[in-house]
Amino acid sequence: MLVSCKQLLRGKPIKVKGIGTLVPPTLDSIFELSDNEENIDKYNLFINILLIELPQFLEIAKLKAFYSQLPDEVQCQCSLFNLLLLKPDIRQTLFECLSFFIAEKIEYCDREYCFKVIDNKGQTIGVINNDNFESVRNNLLRLNCVNKKHEEKLKFKDEKARQIYLRCQKGREEFQKAKPQNDKKYNLINLVEYVATKSHSYNFFNIWDLTIYQFNVEFQRINFYNQVDTYTKRWSTWGEDKFDFSVWYENIEILNNGGKAE
């Protein structure tokens, strides 16, 4: 079960049965996390370990040739989760990642080859293992406004609404492609500066309490409204056809939530 956009928009901790309480990270907690003595961007490290797929891992770990020679039944046992736990430093990074995004205490159980989620009474309330790791990481990525699944195409009332959406979508795709390349334009620090100086509601004093999902909603909406402003100004000067002003509040999700904008 995926956490919903409605839950993410509220920014409150989200209880997931069998896993624990997921904590949407705020800008403040993300910046605090990366401000460490080792000067390591741990936040992006956490996102990368949640995003990695088995072929990428085998390539990075230089295990591709070895893996391809294994019998099929052995390959089935060498899942991504199991391989991540093999190397102590990668296992530690995954442990820190889960500890950051889950409110309860995380303990690694070597005997059962899993992470246990422990409440403040010392009771095990959840477990993260090979069976549910895919679901866990999908939900953690959604907390961070990252959607691994292919997004559904939306339906719109008219062609004008669709064209405006497509322009915004193109910019969002460029934004997503540029992030892994460490383009300074799309660096989180730069985006925070942009929103804090462009938004009508947020500034350098109150922006830090926004979750990363709420921040991305604000960022995407600012860009969307800029597009609509430009379009309406052109329409008011040269437009002849009737303009659908409901495009201002078009239902555009930044994560696929299983629904369609009609």
Side-chain angles (χ1 to χ4, degrees):
M1 178 180 174
L2 291 176
V3 296
S4 69
C5 292
K6 182 170 68 173
Q7 290 173 303
L8 293 171
L9 195 59
R10 293 186 67 205
K12 304 288 186 181
I14 304 168
K15 290 185 178 181
V16 180
K17 187 176 180 180
I19 297 176
T21 308
L22 309 186
V23 182
T26 63
L27 290 178
D28 191 57
S29 66
I30 290 171
F31 276 71
E32 183 73 22
L33 178 70
S34 298
D35 188 17
N36 54 75
E37 293 180 359
E38 298 88 0
N39 198 29
I40 298 172
D41 190 347
K42 286 193 173 183
Y43 177 70
N44 278 325
L45 191 62
F46 293 166
I47 298 301
N48 288 335
I49 201 169
L50 293 172
L51 274 172
I52 197 167
E53 300 291 351
L54 180 59
Q56 292 175 286
F57 178 82
L58 294 173
E59 191 74 37
I60 293 171
K62 298 181 179 179
L63 294 172
K64 190 175 180 180
F66 172 76
Y67 180 84
S68 64
Q69 295 174 3
L70 295 174
D72 291 344
E73 60 271 17
V74 178
Q75 285 189 5
C76 291
Q77 297 175 3
C78 295
S79 66
L80 174 64
F81 180 76
N82 289 335
L83 290 174
L84 289 173
L85 296 186
L86 279 178
K87 201 172 180 184
D89 57 339
I90 298 178
R91 184 173 66 234
Q92 177 63 24
T93 299
L94 184 56
F95 167 79
E96 292 178 10
C97 172
L98 296 174
S99 298
F100 182 68
F101 295 119
I102 297 176
E104 292 82 11
K105 181 181 179 182
I106 305 295
E107 288 184 358
Y108 174 65
C109 180
D110 187 54
R111 182 170 57 86
E112 298 180 27
Y113 221 53
C114 68
F115 293 101
K116 291 187 176 182
V117 183
I118 315 294
D119 67 10
N120 55 13
K121 297 179 181 178
Q123 301 294 317
T124 299
I125 62 168
V127 63
I128 299 168
N129 56 26
N130 188 53
D131 294 331
N132 67 357
F133 178 63
E134 190 66 22
S135 173
V136 170
R137 70 172 178 151
N138 280 339
N139 274 319
L140 295 185
L141 285 169
R142 286 177 71 81
L143 290 187
N144 294 277
C145 209
V146 179
N147 191 0
K148 285 174 76 260
K149 296 185 179 297
H150 181 69
E151 294 188 15
E152 262 184 74
K153 289 185 177 180
L154 304 180
K155 293 181 180 180
F156 298 94
K157 292 178 180 178
D158 54 36
E159 182 62 19
K160 290 186 180 68
R162 190 181 75 85
Q163 289 296 332
I164 292 174
Y165 171 75
L166 289 176
R167 292 192 191 100
C168 297
Q169 183 75 355
K170 182 179 179 181
R172 189 149 61 91
E173 288 172 355
E174 291 174 354
F175 169 65
Q176 292 295 337
K177 288 178 182 178
K179 283 200 296 186
Q181 301 171 4
N182 296 319
D183 189 327
K184 291 182 179 180
K185 179 180 179 181
Y186 298 100
N187 183 282
L188 184 57
I189 296 175
N190 188 57
L191 295 182
V192 169
E193 292 174 351
Y194 167 74
V195 172
T197 54
K198 185 70 174 176
S199 172
H200 297 299
S201 304
Y202 297 103
N203 51 51
F204 290 116
F205 295 100
N206 62 8
I207 198 170
W208 307 105
D209 290 332
L210 286 177
T211 67
I212 192 68
Y213 179 86
Q214 292 168 335
F215 172 77
N216 272 278
V217 169
E218 182 75 8
F219 171 74
Q220 298 293 347
R221 284 291 175 172
I222 288 174
N223 284 339
F224 176 73
Y225 296 147
N226 284 342
Q227 293 278 356
V228 177
D229 277 338
T230 301
Y231 193 90
T232 52
K233 286 175 182 177
R234 291 177 59 187
W235 173 83
S236 63
T237 305
W238 295 291
E240 297 179 357
D241 299 328
K242 186 177 179 181
F243 183 77
D244 180 11
F245 286 93
S246 69
V247 71
W248 281 97
Y249 43 91
E250 190 67 57
N251 181 23
I252 298 173
E253 297 283 3
I254 61 175
L255 283 177
N256 178 27
N257 202 27
K260 294 180 180 179
E262 299 292 349

